[in-house]
Amino acid sequence: MRNKLIVTLLAFMVIWQTPAKADAGFKDLPSTYWATPAIMELVNAGYMEGFEDGTFRPNETITRAEAAAIIARTTGEAFSSNFPLQAVDVLPTHPYYAEICKLAELGIIQNNEYVRPDEPLQRAHLAKMIALAFNITTDAQNKMTFKDLPKGYWAKDYIESLADIQIITGKTANKFEPTAYVTRAHLAAFAVRGMDFQQKVKNHEIAYDYLIKGYIPTLNEKANFAEEAIRNVNKIRQDNGLAPLKHDPLLSQLAVIKAQDMVQRNYFDHKSPHYGAPWDMAELFDYTYTSFGENIARNFNTAQAVTDAWMASAAHRENILKSSYTNIGIGIKRTVSGQYYWVQLFSSK
């Protein structure tokens, strides 16, 4: 079930010394240290800082304030806001007041009376912050489980959902230790993984499947073939006096999902045994439209060949030349034997 994430976290405050230069590295951070790449990514982006003595102190416990400031920066949101922060222990004169306000405004932390900014951050709280900050869908059906997360534990779904997609890890293979304190290194690593995951979602490389309760890959097998096929369609429409169709990345993602579904479930039909009709699948993945159409094909190895085949079929040709359609997306997936499955989707917006 899709979670309606409700924030139960508190805001934080950060107290740091003058930052070390990002391009100089840190004397306590060797290149071989497991979290060095993540740490330096955040440092070079201006999201984290070292200390004036040239150290980073990766194993030092991070406060709730430090975590709030860093995560606020990673969201990329502007900090100017008139949001009425209720916290009495974070005054407007606080150096990170703007970041804390922004997290409260975004719903990443709860707008409570007390922030407790100097307390160390616990791992369970960080998991929830990461899920909320990077818009990661969480649910109660997860492959990863931890013995120290009993049923009903408030952060269980956040932790196990993030563990499923390898954004966070346990302290051991079967224990998460939710009340253990977060180090600066772990905060950097988890934040960078969250940022990377969010970018993959934005790039349409992954999508959340509400039926299986998990994320699935959605990379086009042959993006160049798909682009060529779209050009072919628009050339045909132009020759017939019709407006070109706009390439819709979300529609192409849906087409990839359908092509992938046919390959994985070994069928070839407009109706999926998993998703149902094409418009049912569109609604499942929150794709909005006023009209919707689908062409499918297989055993064609070039964009021109599949376009010619579609145009030779009256029903497929009708979709290609339908004047009310405004958007197009194409997805391609290949079987282990090298057979291509093509899905061409149309919509009106």
Side-chain angles (χ1 to χ4, degrees):
M1 180 173 70
R2 184 181 183 181
N3 275 6
K4 301 296 184 182
L5 301 177
I6 301 175
V7 183
T8 59
L9 297 178
L10 301 174
F12 318 101
M13 145 188 175
V14 115
I15 299 178
W16 279 335
Q17 300 176 37
T18 303
K21 291 182 179 180
D23 60 356
F26 302 97
K27 58 188 179 184
D28 60 344
L29 198 63
S31 60
T32 54
Y33 182 63
W34 70 273
T36 293
I39 290 169
M40 294 310 300
E41 180 174 338
L42 295 189
V43 169
N44 290 328
Y47 301 154
M48 290 191 81
E49 300 161 336
F51 298 87
E52 64 180 1
D53 63 357
T55 63
F56 183 80
R57 307 175 195 174
N59 297 318
E60 187 173 285
T61 298
I62 200 164
T63 67
R64 295 161 66 90
E66 290 171 330
I70 293 162
I71 290 175
R73 295 164 187 163
T74 63
T75 64
E77 296 281 345
F79 292 155
S80 57
S81 172
N82 294 320
F83 184 79
L85 188 67
Q86 296 180 13
V88 297
D89 53 357
V90 179
L91 301 178
T93 54
H94 190 279
Y96 301 105
Y97 182 82
E99 288 95 328
I100 292 169
C101 278
K102 179 53 64 174
L103 287 193
E105 182 181 8
L106 293 173
I108 297 171
I109 60 174
Q110 190 172 4
N111 192 23
N112 276 348
E113 183 178 4
Y114 292 100
V115 170
R116 304 197 309 274
D118 297 327
E119 291 186 6
L121 179 69
Q122 293 182 3
R123 285 166 53 83
H125 289 115
L126 176 60
K128 189 170 185 179
M129 288 183 74
I130 293 294
L132 294 170
F134 302 115
N135 302 308
I136 299 169
T137 303
T138 63
D139 55 58
Q141 296 184 25
N142 299 296
K143 296 177 181 178
M144 288 294 298
T145 58
F146 298 99
K147 292 181 178 179
D148 53 352
L149 298 179
K151 184 177 180 180
Y153 181 68
W154 69 271
K156 180 179 175 67
D157 293 348
Y158 299 114
I159 293 168
E160 293 178 349
S161 292
L162 293 188
D164 268 359
I165 54 178
Q166 300 180 332
I167 288 180
I168 63 175
T169 56
K171 283 280 192 176
T172 66
N174 55 22
K175 287 189 176 181
F176 184 76
E177 297 187 18
T179 60
Y181 297 143
V182 178
T183 66
R184 286 164 55 82
H186 279 100
L187 185 280
F190 294 170
V192 166
R193 291 172 196 166
M195 292 167 63
D196 291 345
F197 191 85
Q198 184 182 54
Q199 192 59 51
K200 288 181 180 179
V201 172
K202 290 180 178 179
N203 291 343
H204 308 106
E205 298 175 21
I206 50 178
Y208 186 81
D209 186 330
Y210 291 100
L211 293 183
I212 67 170
K213 301 293 187 297
Y215 282 93
I216 58 174
T218 58
L219 280 173
N220 229 338
E221 192 85 25
K222 288 285 187 177
N224 58 326
F225 282 13
E227 292 168 2
E228 183 183 350
I230 292 172
R231 289 195 298 270
N232 290 344
V233 166
N234 281 332
K235 177 62 168 58
I236 292 169
R237 288 176 66 88
Q238 181 183 13
D239 292 344
N240 285 270
L242 297 171
L245 299 174
K246 177 184 177 182
H247 177 215
D248 186 335
L250 285 175
L251 204 54
S252 281
Q253 184 178 50
L254 282 178
V256 171
I257 293 170
K258 176 60 181 288
Q260 187 168 264
D261 185 55
M262 287 193 292
V263 169
Q264 292 176 346
R265 292 185 168 82
N266 193 28
Y267 74 96
F268 183 70
D269 196 277
H270 289 293
K271 187 173 182 179
S272 163
H274 180 65
Y275 298 114
W279 36 90
D280 295 328
M281 184 182 72
E283 292 177 5
L284 176 70
F285 286 93
D286 296 326
Y287 184 84
T288 58
Y289 61 90
T290 56
S291 62
F292 202 86
E294 177 185 78
N295 287 341
I296 59 175
R298 61 180 173 180
N299 296 328
F300 294 95
N301 295 325
T302 69
Q304 189 61 57
V306 75
T307 302
D308 291 343
W310 279 328
M311 287 299 292
S313 163
H316 297 90
R317 177 186 175 90
E318 181 181 354
N319 271 337
I320 291 172
L321 296 179
K322 192 169 184 178
S323 60
S324 62
Y325 285 146
T326 58
N327 291 32
I328 186 173
I330 293 182
I332 306 165
K333 279 294 176 179
R334 184 172 57 180
T335 66
V336 292
S337 62
Q339 181 183 30
Y340 287 106
Y341 278 66
W342 299 72
V343 176
Q344 185 180 55
L345 295 180
F346 305 89
S347 72
S348 300
K349 287 284 192 175

